[in-house]
Amino acid sequence: MDTRRRGRALAPESFPDAVRRRLGNLDRLREVWADNRRYGDRTDDPAVNRRSARRRIEELRRLADQDTAASDAIAAEEDAFLAVAQDCRSGVRLTPGYFEALARGAPDFGPPLPAPEGVGELLAEAAAVETHPVIRAAHLFATCTDAMMTGSARPAATGESGAAAPDRPGPPAHLRPLPWWLASLSLIRSDLPPPAIDSRCPLDLPSRSAAGGGAMPWPVAAGGTPAVPAPTPDGAPASALRASAGTEDDRLTPLVLLLADLETAALRSELSRPSRVPTARRGESGRLAAAVHRRIVDHLRLRCAPLHLVLRELDPACRSVVSSSTGGPAFATPSDPAGGGPSGSGAAPSPAGPADDSATATRTRTAAVPATAERSRDSARRALFSPGANEWHASLDVDLADGVLRLTVFVQEVGSSATGVLAVTADGRLNAEDGAMDVLEPGCADCVTLVPTDAADDRWPEVEAFVDDVLSRSIGQLARSARY
């Protein structure tokens, strides 16, 4: 299949509506990033780029359950990754020879997977597909993974290697560095930053090796590491994979969604870079944040009523309180109580009792949780951005006999106010008899990103689903800690 026909087969229109919406939101965030970089006089900082490369390498090692490498080995991987990025920016042609050399020379985990014959031509063809950059990166990632799986079956089948089997098998192909490097290469060539890598993000990708059966998920093995799918039988060369594409858009859908989320996290990180030239403040971001924050508070109060009835079955003395803060007097509303903190804070009455502050929900013990400011910084750090000066948050405090839960949902500026970009993140802490614990453990993709052209109505379904998800996970952990 030529690249134009493959591009039509992988056009965004052939993917589900959820994929098209996600890519559309990513494109709008990319426009904000491009404008901010153009008018903010931002330049690439080699030190920042190296730190970003090191983080990706370390996260990929954790994702693949690999031991931490020596510092010189990590530095060598950094140099190799930065060299690939520089090749993209310098306009090096992505020829079969280039991909062949990259596949043979890129660092790998042990034991390494051999590259099959003709892999350079196969990867060059995948990199030339005309479609959305994220879809092309996902297609290149999947093509490389399938080729590596095919090559890994050949030595065992033909007896080319007489080495003894390792005591510890290596990670599957989709957790190796090369597919991630190729996806990064494709995105950088499309003027996007390389995607973030986060070991906490679920990775459940489809395999092309299911003959005639459409997409087949790679199951997650014990310990959270996806199991290796069965390689193509008979050690067929990489070129044989061209004939087994099957439903390409179906098998790529989860990978496209994952890369879109990781690319969004990378753009948030890029927007957090300081600018040498001050730019005008975007006032609309404050109005949008106030509207989204107000809806989050109302949604938590709405969910709190039936939730309290359920929790009272576990503990008749259960208390629950919803409290909120505003982003300052400029964006306060009549329903937002003022005072109580630098940005204004107040508490809402719970369905079970009078209005009170968060101390009411922790009357039986002192909650061993960090201060709200520290938690907001941690939440932003895990979502890979530096928060701006303004912040809005809503908290739900629940006190059971066996545990105190504080769930906080933050609406934060991404970088300076000039970007106009907002992020909705969450932090959940449980103080139980066994000690304090993080009940969410979010990854960089556990976040909703809002751009200046958004309206609260447009993005509320995403925010509502996010709040419901973190609330369900937090309350579930609280209920599991109860001993009745």
Side-chain angles (χ1 to χ4, degrees):
M1 179 182 292
D2 61 54
T3 56
R4 291 188 179 181
R5 289 180 58 195
R6 177 63 61 85
R8 288 194 295 270
L10 295 176
E13 293 76 16
S14 64
F15 284 81
D17 291 343
V19 173
R20 296 198 297 272
R21 285 195 299 270
R22 194 78 60 88
L23 295 179
N25 292 338
L26 176 64
D27 289 341
R28 293 164 62 210
L29 180 62
R30 176 192 182 183
E31 292 175 2
V32 175
W33 170 66
D35 288 342
N36 200 58
R37 186 175 55 168
R38 181 182 307 116
Y39 298 115
D41 190 26
R42 294 166 185 262
T43 58
D44 286 333
D45 186 342
V48 173
N49 292 337
R50 182 168 288 276
R51 285 196 300 269
S52 298
R54 176 174 287 262
R55 183 192 179 278
R56 289 180 172 91
I57 290 168
E58 292 175 344
E59 285 293 319
L60 184 55
R61 282 189 167 275
R62 281 190 284 268
L63 184 65
D65 194 24
Q66 293 290 295
D67 296 331
T68 303
S71 58
D72 55 344
I74 292 291
E77 292 184 39
E78 288 177 19
D79 293 339
F81 180 83
L82 293 174
V84 170
Q86 185 58 37
D87 287 344
C88 296
R89 298 185 179 96
S90 60
V92 172
R93 293 187 60 192
L94 302 183
T95 62
Y98 177 82
F99 281 110
E100 195 81 33
L102 185 60
R104 310 287 181 190
D108 195 5
F109 300 141
L113 290 180
E117 181 181 353
V119 67
E121 181 183 354
L122 185 62
L123 296 177
E125 179 183 309
V129 169
E130 298 178 3
T131 184
H132 190 279
V134 174
I135 297 177
R136 181 167 54 248
H139 175 55
L140 184 57
F141 183 107
T143 300
C144 176
T145 299
D146 292 331
M148 293 173 69
M149 286 167 48
T150 302
S152 67
R154 293 167 63 238
T158 60
E160 294 175 10
S161 174
D167 295 334
R168 180 182 178 185
H174 65 288
L175 299 182
R176 303 277 179 158
L178 183 58
W180 291 97
W181 284 27
L182 293 179
S184 300
L185 179 149
S186 179
L187 290 166
I188 295 172
R189 295 277 293 197
S190 300
D191 197 25
L192 281 163
I197 299 177
D198 196 326
S199 56
R200 293 164 295 189
C201 292
L203 192 61
D204 187 20
L205 306 181
S207 169
R208 179 181 282 167
S209 61
M216 176 178 291
W218 290 349
V220 177
T225 302
V228 185
T232 304
D234 302 327
S239 57
L241 294 173
R242 292 189 178 94
S244 60
T247 54
E248 191 75 0
D249 51 350
D250 290 340
R251 69 182 291 270
L252 285 181
T253 292
L255 182 54
V256 171
L257 291 172
L258 176 64
L259 284 180
D261 285 342
L262 297 179
E263 190 61 31
T264 299
L267 287 172
R268 285 197 302 265
S269 178
E270 290 287 319
L271 283 167
S272 298
R273 293 194 182 192
S275 174
R276 296 199 301 263
V277 177
T279 52
R281 174 187 174 92
R282 293 179 184 261
E284 62 269 25
S285 64
R287 289 189 288 271
L288 174 61
V292 172
H293 167 256
R294 186 166 55 250
R295 286 195 172 195
I296 291 173
V297 174
D298 293 341
H299 190 67
L300 285 176
R301 290 171 179 164
L302 179 65
R303 290 288 189 262
C304 192
L307 174 64
H308 187 79
L309 295 177
V310 174
L311 293 177
R312 283 183 62 183
E313 296 298 319
L314 298 176
D315 178 12
C318 169
R319 292 294 189 95
S320 56
V321 176
V322 175
S323 58
S324 68
S325 77
T326 64
F331 304 112
T333 63
S335 61
D336 291 325
S343 59
S345 63
S350 73
D356 200 350
D357 59 20
S358 59
T360 302
T362 60
R363 67 194 187 283
T364 59
R365 64 188 69 80
T366 300
V369 296
T372 301
E374 182 181 347
R375 296 172 66 197
S376 68
R377 289 192 296 269
D378 289 344
S379 182
R381 175 183 53 79
R382 289 179 296 202
L384 302 185
F385 69 89
S386 299
N390 297 313
E391 171 195 300
W392 299 253
H393 69 262
S395 295
L396 169 64
D397 293 88
V398 180
D399 184 5
L400 281 179
D402 286 336
V404 176
L405 169 71
R406 165 162 281 196
L407 172 66
T408 307
V409 180
F410 299 97
V411 182
Q412 297 168 284
E413 292 176 332
V414 176
S416 70
S417 301
T419 67
V421 177
L422 301 168
V424 181
T425 61
D427 180 87
R429 300 298 174 99
L430 175 63
N431 184 35
E433 299 297 334
D434 298 335
M437 62 180 297
D438 184 348
V439 297
L440 294 179
E441 297 183 353
C444 67
D446 291 326
C447 178
V448 178
T449 307
L450 312 177
V451 298
T453 54
D454 281 327
D457 288 338
D458 298 336
R459 302 302 292 271
W460 176 245
E462 289 180 62
V463 177
E464 181 183 35
F466 173 76
V467 173
D468 285 341
D469 176 64
V470 297
L471 179 61
S472 174
R473 289 158 57 189
S474 301
I475 295 298
Q477 188 65 45
L478 175 64
R480 283 190 291 272
S481 69
R483 296 187 293 272
Y484 298 100

